Amino acid sequence: QVQFVESGGGLVQPGGSLRLSCAASGGTFLTLAWYREAPGQLRDWIARISAAGTTLYKDSVKGRFTISRGSAKDTWYLQMDNLHVEDTAVYYCNTYVPYSSWGQGTQVTVSS
C-alpha cells in the first residue's frame, strides 16, 4: 500500500531553517506536494512540484520555502528558510491529488 514517511521537523527559532524529507513507496508519485496542518486549521498544500519540475507555492511560503525532488526514487524535500511563528504546524507529504493514506507527519515548531 502507499506509504509516506516524513522527517526533519523540530524546534527552531524565528528566522531559522529546517529541511524536511519525504520518502514514499507503493504508488505512483507524479506531482509531489507538501501539506501542513496548524492547530485549529485544516490540512492544506503549501508547495508542489510537477513531474516536469514546475513548482508552485502558497503565498504564505513563497520566497521562503523550496520544494525539490531527491535523487533517490520517490523522495522529495522541503527547504524552509526564514521560518515564522505562523509556520508552526505538522507537515505532511503526499501527491498534489492526495492519496487517502497519509504519513504521521513531522512537527515543526517555530518559537523563541
Side-chain angles (χ1 to χ4, degrees):
Q1 70 274 23
V2 174
Q3 291 185 321
F4 298 95
V5 179
E6 303 92 350
S7 62
L11 173 63
V12 64
Q13 292 187 340
S17 297
L18 285 173
R19 188 189 194 213
L20 306 184
S21 300
C22 175
S25 61
T28 300
F29 309 104
L30 297 177
T31 299
L32 313 174
W34 283 96
Y35 297 73
R36 70 184 180 188
E37 184 174 338
Q41 297 184 21
L42 296 175
R43 190 176 305 175
D44 195 14
W45 74 274
I46 54 170
R48 70 189 206 219
I49 182 167
S50 72
T54 302
T55 57
L56 193 64
Y57 301 92
K58 284 290 180 78
D59 286 346
S60 57
V61 305
K62 195 179 299 181
R64 300 187 297 120
F65 290 11
T66 304
I67 186 171
S68 61
R69 293 178 176 271
S71 56
K73 188 177 185 292
D74 299 332
T75 61
W76 58 102
Y77 304 98
L78 186 69
Q79 177 67 40
M80 306 188 296
D81 298 317
N82 188 22
L83 282 159
H84 302 166
V85 171
E86 310 83 76
D87 296 319
T88 295
V90 181
Y91 286 71
Y92 300 87
C93 59
N94 207 315
T95 47
Y96 179 60
V97 179
Y99 282 95
S100 58
S101 59
W102 293 81
Q104 295 204 338
T106 186
Q107 175 70 49
V108 171
T109 303
V110 186
S111 174
S112 55

